[in-house]
Amino acid sequence: MGDVNRLPPGTAAGALRRAWSPGRVNLIGDHTDYNAGVALPMAVDLGTTVTFVPGDSGRVVLRSDRDPDPADVDLDTALHPERLRSVEPRWARYVAAVVAAVRPGHGGQGTVTTTLPVGAGLSSSAALEVATALALGFEGDHLTMARTCQRAEQAATGVPTGIMDQLVVSAARPGHALFVDFADLSTRHVPVPDGVDIVVVHSGEERALDRSAYATRRAECDAAAHRLGPLGEVSPQVAGAIPDPLLRRRARHVASECERVRHFARALARGDLAEAGQLMTASHRSLAGDFEVSTPALDALVDRLTQTPGVFGARLTGAGFGGCVVALAEPGAVDLTAYRSGAWRVRAAGGASLLDPD
Ligand code: GLA
């Protein structure tokens, strides 16, 4: 759709708002956010732009470059999964949920364009939510933005997702990853060293969290936490002592993953990329073995990448069940053209912001 960025006729140029949000890649720390654990995600230089021109129609209408059908949302939309489930096309559920969560004072129309692969574990949904909220006029600090858009994500999908994605795409700083402690939602900007490639490779498997075992994993963690307390705050030894074998494996992943996140942040700070890479690969093994959120395609990508000279380590990134793998590598070590489903060399971007209208 080549004309998606064209403004509606008669638009006053000053009224246009244009917002951009990055996606994110999680360097390490998956399925820790809803367990009061820690993670180290990074905003990436792929993202989503939303333009919006206020009008008086009582509806928010956004046209996307990825779908011929627009999101056409009543301003009175309720923030309720049952209601949002009937909204079509599916991406419009996120727009509808943001409208319901932000409650803009007026309708209008605009456009959505993205450079992110959708359904790939790079938080295209968080980018859409946060950019839409900004374009609609949301004002608030990063944490309030993240909480608002997390509520929108949960209502749009019916899945009890954590806050990691919305927080990092809101609060990131260029050149840095974001260390997040989900026990108190404190954050710290961690410099990403120069002279290292962060490579993202798509498995080709698109996934939607509402059709995945995400909610089941969260319920399993909650059951384990009922015995032990928040899993992000227990040691792997304590987690490993739960009698139930399934809950033991889930808890062991979360507890050991949080240890790996802390070691990884320290390794990155001293420039020990070999150690950082090993921790990433260990994280993948834990997500695949103990947490069971990997797939044969993700495992095969991790094996191929870790066998490539100059690659320090690789792991699935985000929820799993398909999507992407992230690798840490010497500059140029990974031939992006060798991966048919898409591969990107990403840089640490800053968080979402309003852009100049043109
Ligand atoms: C998805 C969720 C996040 C987080 C990750 C797994 O991206 O939206 O809250 O739980 O999965 O780490």
Side-chain angles (χ1 to χ4, degrees), residues 24 26 28-35 39 121-123 125-126 150 153-154 159-166 182 207 209 214 218 253 257 287 291 293 315-321:
R24 67 100 186 89
N26 192 16
I28 194 161
D30 272 309
H31 295 276
T32 56
D33 61 348
Y34 54 84
N35 285 301
L122 298 185
S123 291
S125 60
Q150 180 197 17
E153 168 94 25
Q154 292 185 343
V159 180
T161 45
I163 199 172
M164 171 172 72
D165 306 342
Q166 291 78 14
F182 297 98
R207 80 282 167 293
L209 290 187
Y214 186 100
R218 184 159 184 168
H253 163 70
E257 184 80 344
L287 285 160
F291 217 68
V293 293
R315 62 186 290 279
L316 72 83
T317 184
F321 313 109

Side-chain angles (χ1 to χ4, degrees), residues 1-8 49 51 62-67 110-114:
M1 287 176 47
D3 64 349
V4 76
N5 269 321
R6 199 179 301 149
L7 289 181
T49 303
T51 67
L62 297 183
R63 289 185 171 74
S64 161
D65 62 346
R66 296 284 177 99
D67 193 326
T111 62
V112 180
T113 52
T114 190

Side-chain angles (χ1 to χ4, degrees), residues 134 142 197:
L134 275 179
H142 296 144
D197 275 358

